[in-house]
Amino acid sequence: MSDKAGTAVKEVANLGVPWEQAYGYAQAVKVGNIIHVSGQLSHDAAGALVGPAPLDEHGRPKDFSNMALQMQTTYDNARRLLSHFGATFDQVVEETLFVLDVDAAFAVAGEVRRRVYGPTPAVASNLIGVSRLAFREQLIEIAFRVDLSLA
């Protein structure tokens, strides 16, 4: 989208979850043919975490068995944002997965990602282990770069 002078403008999309206002950001920003999707996580329409990890006595996840559920729900939320712009996962050119446990994510990522992208995902992907995510029960967050000029 551009203004009357032909200058590219930002178009934003949000999911209506509380932390958009609390933190102050857009879930996705489109400029020209590129959509930048902020880190998505596993939440329902009201913002409640889906498949929260049980925590140990120090408030850290002690069980990573919900990694596949959190990963799939995260992709589902990203799909909602992409559809706002008329985009699909076929137009995703890069994704970055931030995870608390690389082994747990790697164990389920192939199957989950093939359900999202098809049998041979044609997307650049980064899998990065981190020490903490926004919510203590959160195991994964995924950010995307999308090119609308791809058919």
Side-chain angles (χ1 to χ4, degrees), residues 26-92:
Q27 294 282 350
V29 177
K30 177 183 173 271
V31 178
N33 284 329
I34 303 298
I35 304 169
H36 303 272
V37 180
S38 296
Q40 295 301 296
L41 57 128
S42 171
H43 62 80
D44 63 17
L49 202 61
V50 173
L55 303 178
D56 66 16
E57 64 276 4
H58 304 291
R60 293 187 297 257
K62 63 180 179 179
D63 180 348
F64 296 88
S65 61
N66 282 340
M67 180 66 78
L69 173 60
Q70 284 199 21
M71 188 180 292
Q72 184 62 59
T73 307
T74 299
Y75 280 113
D76 293 343
N77 287 334
R79 181 177 283 111
R80 288 176 43 214
L81 284 169
L82 295 179
S83 69
H84 172 84
F85 298 104
T88 69
F89 280 108
D90 291 336
Q91 294 161 305
V92 172

Side-chain angles (χ1 to χ4, degrees), residues 10-149:
K10 291 186 210 179
E11 182 182 347
V12 301
N14 283 306
L15 296 172
V17 291
W19 50 88
E20 292 165 351
Q21 285 295 88
Y23 183 75
Y25 75 107
Q27 294 282 350
V29 177
K30 177 183 173 271
V31 178
N33 284 329
I34 303 298
I35 304 169
H36 303 272
V37 180
S38 296
Q40 295 301 296
L41 57 128
S42 171
H43 62 80
D44 63 17
L49 202 61
V50 173
L55 303 178
D56 66 16
E57 64 276 4
H58 304 291
R60 293 187 297 257
K62 63 180 179 179
D63 180 348
F64 296 88
S65 61
N66 282 340
M67 180 66 78
L69 173 60
Q70 284 199 21
M71 188 180 292
Q72 184 62 59
T73 307
T74 299
Y75 280 113
D76 293 343
N77 287 334
R79 181 177 283 111
R80 288 176 43 214
L81 284 169
L82 295 179
S83 69
H84 172 84
F85 298 104
T88 69
F89 280 108
D90 291 336
Q91 294 161 305
V92 172
V93 294
E94 183 178 21
E95 65 177 13
T96 301
L97 292 79
F98 301 95
V99 299
L100 294 186
D101 186 299
V102 171
D103 293 332
F106 200 80
V108 300
E111 180 181 334
V112 173
R113 292 179 70 251
R114 280 189 289 278
R115 283 196 303 262
V116 172
Y117 293 108
T120 309
V123 59
S125 183
N126 310 291
L127 179 62
I128 300 172
V130 297
S131 62
R132 170 82 199 274
L133 293 165
F135 300 99
R136 292 197 179 277
E137 301 88 354
Q138 183 183 352
L139 301 175
I140 185 168
E141 185 168 311
I142 309 174
F144 302 87
R145 186 164 186 258
V146 182
D147 188 337
L148 294 173
S149 68

